[in-house]
Amino acid sequence: MSLDKYGIAKRIAREMRDGMYVNLGIGIPTLVSNYIPEGMSVIFQSENGILGMGPYPVEAEVDADLINAGKETVTTIPGAAFFDSAESFGMIRAGKIDLTVLGAMEVSDNGDIANWKIPGKMVKGMGGAMDLVASAKHIIVAMMHTNPKGESKLLPKCSLPLTGVRCVKKVVTELAVLDITPEGFVLLERAPGVSVEEIVAKTAGRLTVPDFVPEMKI
């Protein structure tokens, strides 16, 4: 059984470490803040000018003036700070962000990412992705393994315009957790009930499969 978007976010939350400064992209990545383990301190940054975002608000907590870079309402933790986007991108470009979690349309087996434009289709803009992939110390992609046509999104080479080159370190999909190495994708974990054979069939890029691939712990 493959994961839903909440399961992907839960698995990525297990990558967090106490004291990290983390930026979450729009889409599935924004859900990660809901699943930080009790007692762990992770500081979430939003490029529109927030340091210290909390989980998604329940209805009673919604403040229409308090939004993330994806224009979704958010909460803040005690000690949160607000600032302009110039200050925010100064943090990003100075390498102050330990981890960035991004969605993607395609990822290549050498770590290239395409996540900002589909030629011929209207897009809202690239946002902060190009700065984040150039500056963050560690980048994890959260995405579906295949596109709506059933075609692999984990490729030998991206077909869409690139956001960043050789920058992605790990990919978490509804089927698997994969590292990216000089030899391509390495299968680390599989979703509960998902076979190695299904993951291999749906991964177009170079893929190394160890002798034993454990199920994810969510």
Side-chain angles (χ1 to χ4, degrees), residues 5-195:
K5 61 183 181 179
Y6 303 102
I8 295 172
K10 285 180 183 178
R11 174 59 188 83
I12 291 174
R14 294 186 57 234
E15 299 291 318
M16 304 295 151
R17 299 293 179 265
D18 200 51
M20 271 187 166
Y21 288 85
V22 178
N23 184 286
L24 301 177
I26 62 174
I28 295 172
T30 59
L31 299 170
V32 173
S33 62
N34 289 350
Y35 301 111
I36 301 305
E38 192 75 31
M40 182 182 288
S41 175
V42 176
I43 309 300
F44 289 107
Q45 191 250 20
S46 181
E47 59 262 37
N48 62 320
I50 306 175
L51 191 64
M53 287 190 299
Y56 268 110
V58 297
E59 190 173 350
E61 298 173 323
V62 170
D63 180 347
D65 292 324
L66 192 57
I67 61 171
N68 63 17
K71 300 181 176 61
E72 301 167 307
T73 53
V74 295
T75 61
T76 54
I77 61 173
F82 304 94
F83 35 84
D84 64 25
S85 59
E87 189 78 20
S88 177
F89 278 91
M91 292 177 188
I92 293 167
R93 293 169 185 172
K96 304 298 185 183
I97 304 301
D98 298 304
L99 170 65
T100 292
V101 184
L102 292 170
M105 298 161 187
E106 295 175 347
V107 173
S108 75
D109 60 23
N110 68 350
D112 296 348
I113 179 174
N115 82 334
W116 76 279
K117 184 174 177 63
I118 299 176
K121 292 195 175 182
M122 186 72 177
V123 293
K124 294 180 180 178
M126 67 184 71
M130 291 187 178
D131 291 271
L132 287 161
V133 299
S135 306
K137 297 170 187 172
H138 188 55
I139 296 165
I140 297 175
V141 164
M143 69 176 190
M144 299 320 242
H145 214 95
T146 59
N147 64 24
K149 296 179 181 178
E151 300 164 336
S152 180
K153 294 169 66 173
L154 284 76
L155 304 170
K157 183 178 180 180
C158 294
S159 64
L160 297 172
L162 294 183
T163 311
V165 174
R166 297 181 183 270
C167 56
V168 179
K169 306 300 183 188
K170 185 171 286 185
V171 180
V172 181
T173 76
E174 80 279 19
L175 302 180
V177 179
L178 306 104
D179 258 348
I180 296 179
T181 72
E183 289 72 45
F185 298 111
V186 177
L187 181 56
L188 299 181
E189 301 172 18
R190 54 193 174 84
V194 172
S195 69

